């Protein structure tokens, strides 16, 4: 297999929609046309068959924190931790603390996306039912930091 670089990344885009409604987002809220069991079988086969150069997985969505499949996918990834040593979860912060235990079994880094540094302006951009506060994000950074999970909060500049 010819690779463009020595750091290939396998991305998992979880079905399940998003609680935000950003004007610029490309993600679709269409329901998955496959079943969870079929999805997990296919994902497991893929994780087993990727060459050793693929040691990194990125998990994204829609919003992974509202995907009904998040916990199942994280359980599956945790079974492959010897091969995949860098697992990144990109999220808007929704349900991080509620899923803390399962996230801790499979994730090395959490990337929390914001669209403005000001909480009120951020919510205006995200729209939808998104309602993550700065205090919640601070608690996430603290709680996951105690577990040894690296967390970054970044602001996307439009």
């Amino acid at each position: 297999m010819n690779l463009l670089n020595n750091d290939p990344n396998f991305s998992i885009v979880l079905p399940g929609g998003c609680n935000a409604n950003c004007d610029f987002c490309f993600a679709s809220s269409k329901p998955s046309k496959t079943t969870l069991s079929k999805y997990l079988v296919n994902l497991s086969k893929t994780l087993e068959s990727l060459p050793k150069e693929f040691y990194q997985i990125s998990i994204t969505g829609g919003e992974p924190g509202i995907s009904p499949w998040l916990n199942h996918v994280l359980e599956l990834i945790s079974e492959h931790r010897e091969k995949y040593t860098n697992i990144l979860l990109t999220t808007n912060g929704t349900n991080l603390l509620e899923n803390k235990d399962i996230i801790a079994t499979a994730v090395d880094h959490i990337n929390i996306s914001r669209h403005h540094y000001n909480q009120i302006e951020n919510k205006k951009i995200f729209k939808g039912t998104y309602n993550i506060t700065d205090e919640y994000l601070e608690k996430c950074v603290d709680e996951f930091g105690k577990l040894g999970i690296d967390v970054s909060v970044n602001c996307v500049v439009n």
Side-chain angles (χ1 to χ4, degrees), residues 20-110:
N21 189 20
C22 306
D23 291 335
F24 49 83
C25 186
F26 62 87
S28 170
S29 293
K30 295 177 188 172
S32 176
K33 293 182 180 181
T34 189
T35 64
L36 174 61
S37 60
K38 186 175 181 181
Y39 182 90
L40 292 174
V41 166
N42 289 337
L43 180 57
S44 183
K45 286 179 184 176
T46 301
L47 293 175
E48 290 169 7
S49 67
L50 286 172
K52 67 179 179 353
E53 290 84 2
F54 285 83
Y55 64 89
Q56 182 168 288
I57 297 174
S58 295
I59 305 165
T60 188
E63 170 48 42
I66 66 168
S67 173
W69 296 6
L70 175 64
N71 290 349
H72 302 285
V73 168
L74 292 177
E75 286 173 12
L76 180 62
I77 289 171
S78 68
E79 295 171 12
H80 295 272
R81 287 298 279 159
E82 286 184 29
K83 181 176 182 181
Y84 298 99
T85 58
N86 190 22
I87 311 300
L88 167 69
L89 174 66
T90 298
T91 174
N92 65 27
T94 301
N95 294 329
L96 278 177
L97 293 176
E98 295 78 358
N99 292 305
K100 180 175 74 169
D101 293 336
I102 187 66
I103 289 171
T105 68
V107 173
D108 300 300
H109 180 84
I110 299 170

